[in-house]
């Protein structure tokens, strides 16, 4: 099925035209039929001469219902732009033109209706319409002159049905295997079935029993597809592009509203703050402080921080599933007309908290290409998880699971200068820069402090994150990324510390004092030096820790012994009558309780001795 939306001024015959093409009544409300005025979205479908199924989303033309019009036009891939011959171009014709310009729609057809009422005005109206649409995607669109009342222009070689066939044949093929983002335009309850939502499926495939998420004001909610209908017929699965009614399990209809989205779970970023570039309309530096933002079928209020005429930051009232390249229609809440259009550049922009950040960021945005790419995101951030790139729709997955750059589903080669390290995509120069800084830090630390074990993981992450965005600092602590940078720098990681391969911390000025302690313990193995003895030798905790790492001493709390002390103690204790008391052990080792107790506890912990009761131990045979 192909989907096409109508557009045009109120009372220019959009609904009448849809009715003539399909034989169906698009107006659903009794008030619409009574007043002869479309208020909300209408839906109808037919089969074109080629056999193509086409569904029409009929939109209201009155200025008071511009929001409803945008909800119908937003998800549609093509437009049927209607202007009446007897009235010509009117105010809402301009609003609808501005809307399709903002949405970047460039597939469609111009239809001059009511030709039977003013045949002599047809050429002038068509010329004016083309002039008004000159700056839009419909500038070169085919045009047809019709009368829905007499049927003139609907059929024949150059008739509307045939021209619609030609336009729809030129639409790009949708991604049937892509992720789902289904903007809801209606929600209602069917007795015995429960919640039903409708919308235009533009990518991905829906199937019975699919698990999806509803994204709305209440946050993500899990739902299951109970049943599907298209053209009032049940379907086991539905692909794009198609009008679909989705029967959901797990959520009441009254909790879902127009503007909510059904999405593939975990496949879309939720954005509350986005950087945008103007695509049409007035400069973004002329905006009021707040705007209404329309995307898909959603309408949200947004605070505007303009950077320039071309760029601004929008802070949305609620998070939406947005990706770079998405088109937004902007409206002034105090006006019923379209202010302009913008497309999304960044859905996860950096915080701007320091003096001058706004000016620097504005200059940066001028250099950012439109549309987004995996390479651009990696260059901009330094290191990006591939899952984030997938949620942005910037990488696809080949058979076998390899991530590749491009729109979702593509199989393009990996971008140049990008290193893929597990789940991370890292810009090559950034990785090399991190490695160089780490190597320098390791060398400087070894020179400055010979007793140091090396640079800790945390210190390395802080080093790489200097000048990075706050969110990136957390990412830098990922073990896989740390390991990759360590390998790139030709260093080694042991016990949480990074150092030169084969490097062992020296004792520097503490060497002589440690040697003195060793000599004492060789003569009297269990005569551990007192704290005052160590202080006199200028052996503090740092020097003792370095000596222990070097295998020169063993520390049992405040007691310092040789590493051979436990084995020597076992030989002496094995000679005692078993079990033995602490006092007997102390005498056998010729030492004090200060040394005997922590040494015996150490032997217990190693499983060499064990307690028999509160006062006796025995050697484990």
């Amino acid at each position: 099925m192909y989907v096409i939306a109508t557009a045009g001024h109120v009372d220019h015959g959009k609904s009448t035209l849809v009715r003539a093409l399909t034989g169906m009544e698009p107006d659903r409300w009794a008030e619409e039929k009574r007043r002869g005025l479309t208020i909300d979205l209408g839906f109808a479908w037919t089969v074109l001469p080629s056999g193509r199924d086409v569904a029409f989303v009929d939109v209201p033309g009155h200025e008071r219902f511009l929001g409803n019009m945008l909800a119908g036009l937003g998800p549609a891939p093509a437009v049927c732009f209607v202007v009446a011959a007897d009235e010509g171009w009117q105010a809402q014709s301009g609003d609808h033109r501005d809307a399709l310009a903002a949405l970047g729609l460039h597939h469609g057809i111009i239809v001059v209706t009511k030709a039977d009422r003013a045949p002599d005005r047809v050429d002038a109206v068509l010329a004016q319409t083309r002039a008004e649409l000159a700056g839009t995607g419909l500038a070169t669109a085919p045009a047809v002159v019709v009368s829905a009342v007499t049927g003139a222009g609907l059929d024949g070689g150059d008739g509307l049905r045939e021209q619609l066939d030609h336009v729809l044949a030129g639409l790009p093929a949708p991604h049937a295997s892509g992720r789902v983002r289904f903007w809801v335009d209606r929600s209602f309850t069917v007795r015995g079935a429960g919640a039903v939502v409708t919308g235009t499926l533009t990518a991905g495939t829906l199937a019975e029993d699919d698990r999806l998420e509803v994204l709305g004001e209440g946050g993500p909610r899990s739902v299951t597809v109970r049943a599907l209908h298209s053209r009032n017929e049940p379907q086991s699965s539905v692909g794009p592009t198609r009008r679909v009614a989705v029967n959901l399990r797990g959520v009441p209809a009254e909790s879902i509203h127009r503007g909510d989205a059904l999405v593939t779970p975990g496949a879309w970023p939720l954005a509350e703050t986005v950087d945008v570039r103007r695509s049409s309309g007035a400069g973004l530096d002329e905006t009021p402080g707040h705007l209404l933002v329309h995307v898909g079928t959603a309408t949200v209020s947004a605070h505007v921080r303009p950077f320039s005429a071309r760029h601004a930051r929008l802070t949305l009232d609620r998070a939406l599933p947005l990706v770079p390249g998405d088109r937004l229609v902007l409206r002034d809440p105090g006006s019923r007309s379209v202010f302009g259009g913008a497309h999304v550049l960044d859905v996860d922009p950096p915080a701007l908290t320091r003096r001058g950040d706004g000016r620097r960021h504005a200059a940066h945005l001028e250099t950012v290409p439109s549309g987004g790419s995996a390479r651009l995101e990696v260059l901009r951030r330094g290191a990006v998880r591939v899952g984030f790139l997938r949620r942005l729709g910037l990488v696809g997955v080949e058979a076998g699971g390899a991530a590749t750059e491009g729109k979702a589903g593509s199989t393009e080669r990996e971008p140049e200068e990008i290193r893929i390290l597990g789940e991370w995509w890292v810009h090559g120069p950034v990785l090399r820069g991190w490695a160089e800084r780490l190597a320098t830090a390791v060398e400087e630390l070894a020179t400055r402090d010979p007793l140091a074990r090396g640079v800790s993981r945390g210190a390395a992450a802080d080093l790489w994150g200097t000048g990075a965005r706050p969110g990136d600092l957390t990412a830098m602590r990922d073990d896989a990324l740390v390991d990759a940078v360590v390998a790139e720098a030709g260093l080694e990681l042991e016990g949480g510390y990074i150092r030169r391969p084969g490097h062992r911390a020296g004792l520097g000025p503490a060497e002589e004092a440690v040697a003195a302690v060793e000599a004492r313990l060789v003569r009297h193995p269990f005569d551990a030096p007192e704290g005052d003895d160590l202080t006199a030798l200028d052996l503090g905790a740092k020097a003792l820790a370095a000596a222990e790492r070097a295998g020169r001493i063993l520390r049992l709390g405040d007691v310092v012994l040789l590493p051979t002390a436990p084995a020597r103690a076992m030989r002496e204790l094995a000679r005692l009558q078993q079990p033995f008391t602490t006092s007997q052990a102390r005498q056998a080792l010729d030492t004090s309780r200060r040394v005997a107790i922590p040494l015996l506890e150490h032997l217990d912990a190693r499983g060499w001795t064990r307690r028999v009761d509160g006062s006796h131990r025995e050697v484990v045979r």
Side-chain angles (χ1 to χ4, degrees), residues 246-332:
V246 187
N247 182 198
L248 297 174
R249 184 186 297 117
V251 64
E254 56 268 22
S255 69
I256 307 179
H257 307 91
R258 176 176 292 173
D260 291 353
L262 280 179
V263 299
T264 303
W268 294 87
L270 275 175
E272 289 187 89
T273 303
V274 294
D275 285 342
V276 300
R277 173 173 292 156
R278 181 183 68 88
S279 58
S280 64
L284 294 173
D285 54 354
E286 300 176 24
T287 64
H290 286 80
L291 288 173
L292 291 179
V293 176
H294 298 263
V295 58
T297 61
T299 304
V300 299
S301 179
H303 171 75
V304 184
R305 178 178 180 176
F307 296 126
S308 65
R310 296 185 70 218
H311 298 106
R313 174 165 294 181
L314 305 180
T315 303
L316 309 175
D317 275 2
R318 69 178 175 95
L320 295 174
L322 300 176
V323 294
D326 275 342
R327 294 277 187 160
L328 311 177
V329 181
L330 308 178
R331 289 176 58 209
D332 183 343

Side-chain angles (χ1 to χ4, degrees), residues 45 112 131 179 184 199 228 291 393 427 481 487 499 547 608:
W45 54 87
V112 178
R179 56 197 173 153
V184 173
L228 297 163
L291 288 173
H427 189 208
L481 194 55
R499 60 197 182 198
W608 292 1

Side-chain angles (χ1 to χ4, degrees), residues 547-618:
E548 185 175 36
R549 288 196 300 272
R552 303 277 294 274
I553 63 171
L554 171 68
R555 290 190 301 169
L556 303 176
D558 293 333
V559 173
V560 175
L561 299 171
L562 291 178
T564 57
R568 184 184 292 268
M570 285 298 296
R571 287 197 296 271
E572 299 298 330
L573 296 176
R575 295 190 180 102
L576 295 176
Q577 181 176 350
Q578 307 294 313
F580 56 85
T581 65
T582 300
S583 178
Q584 290 169 329
R586 179 183 62 77
Q587 294 174 18
L589 300 177
D590 190 20
T591 190
S592 65
R593 286 180 59 84
R594 180 181 72 88
V595 175
I597 290 176
L599 179 56
L600 290 170
E601 290 175 347
H602 177 72
L603 297 176
D604 291 345
R606 297 183 70 168
W608 292 1
T609 59
R610 65 186 172 206
R611 284 185 176 274
V612 176
D613 54 36
S615 59
H616 292 82
R617 284 182 172 83
E618 66 181 5

Side-chain angles (χ1 to χ4, degrees), residues 110-265:
I110 301 168
V111 182
V112 178
T113 57
K114 303 186 180 182
D116 55 307
R117 294 192 181 184
D120 56 328
R121 296 195 58 198
V122 166
D123 291 341
V125 168
L126 181 56
Q128 182 186 14
T129 299
R130 286 207 175 277
E132 293 286 353
L133 294 174
T136 74
L138 296 189
T140 60
V144 180
V145 179
V146 304
S147 168
V149 174
T150 67
L154 295 181
D155 297 300
D158 293 324
L160 178 56
R161 286 190 173 89
E162 286 72 16
Q163 289 300 312
L164 282 172
D165 239 338
H166 177 73
V167 168
L168 297 178
L171 288 174
H175 294 294
S177 60
R179 56 197 173 153
V180 170
R181 180 176 61 173
F182 178 84
W183 294 102
V184 173
D185 53 38
R186 282 192 301 161
S187 174
F188 50 91
T189 300
V190 173
R191 181 176 296 178
V196 175
V197 298
T198 69
T200 299
L201 180 63
T202 56
T205 297
L206 292 172
E208 291 179 353
D209 297 323
D210 275 355
R211 294 188 178 277
L212 302 170
E213 284 184 335
V214 178
L215 302 181
E217 291 187 1
R221 289 164 291 167
S222 296
V223 294
T224 303
V225 176
R226 182 176 183 177
L228 297 163
H229 278 71
S230 185
R231 294 182 55 179
N232 282 345
E233 296 177 356
Q235 309 285 336
S236 59
S237 66
V238 177
T241 300
R242 188 176 284 260
R243 288 292 305 172
V244 190
V246 187
N247 182 198
L248 297 174
R249 184 186 297 117
V251 64
E254 56 268 22
S255 69
I256 307 179
H257 307 91
R258 176 176 292 173
D260 291 353
L262 280 179
V263 299
T264 303

Side-chain angles (χ1 to χ4, degrees), residues 338-540:
V338 172
F339 178 85
H343 58 260
V344 176
L345 290 179
D346 190 355
V347 298
D348 183 29
L352 305 176
T353 56
R354 298 176 298 172
R355 184 185 298 274
D357 275 357
R359 173 178 48 79
R360 288 186 290 270
H361 192 59
H364 163 72
L365 290 177
E366 292 291 343
T367 69
V368 175
S370 300
S373 70
R375 182 176 184 276
L376 174 64
E377 289 297 321
V378 177
L379 264 60
R380 201 156 54 85
R381 302 171 191 273
V384 185
R385 293 181 192 271
V386 69
F388 179 69
L389 296 175
R390 287 196 185 100
R391 288 194 296 276
L392 294 182
L394 299 178
V395 298
V397 180
E398 294 182 357
T404 54
E405 184 181 25
K407 292 297 181 183
S410 73
T411 55
E412 301 176 23
R413 62 186 176 86
E414 296 168 0
E416 295 180 4
E417 278 293 343
I418 303 300
R419 297 279 298 276
I420 298 180
L421 307 169
E423 65 174 321
W424 289 93
W425 284 31
V426 185
H427 189 208
V430 170
L431 179 63
R432 292 191 291 272
W434 285 343
E436 290 169 4
R437 291 165 70 180
L438 180 60
T440 299
V442 168
E443 289 295 333
E444 290 178 348
L445 178 61
T447 301
R448 183 174 67 253
D449 184 1
L451 300 180
R453 300 176 64 181
V455 175
S456 68
R457 278 182 178 271
D462 292 340
L463 175 72
W464 304 332
T466 301
R469 304 186 314 181
D472 293 336
L473 298 181
T474 301
M476 298 296 184
R477 300 183 187 278
D478 182 89
D479 286 349
L481 194 55
V482 173
D483 292 346
V485 178
V486 170
E488 182 75 17
L491 303 171
E492 68 177 14
L493 179 62
E494 183 178 332
Y497 289 87
I498 303 162
R499 60 197 182 198
R500 297 190 304 265
H503 170 74
R504 295 296 180 269
L507 300 182
E511 173 63 38
E512 186 176 343
V514 170
V517 170
E518 288 176 313
R520 170 176 172 165
L521 293 172
V522 167
R523 293 191 301 271
H524 304 287
F526 305 106
D527 183 18
E530 300 279 352
D532 290 343
D533 299 329
L534 297 174
T535 300
L537 290 169
D538 198 21
L539 285 177

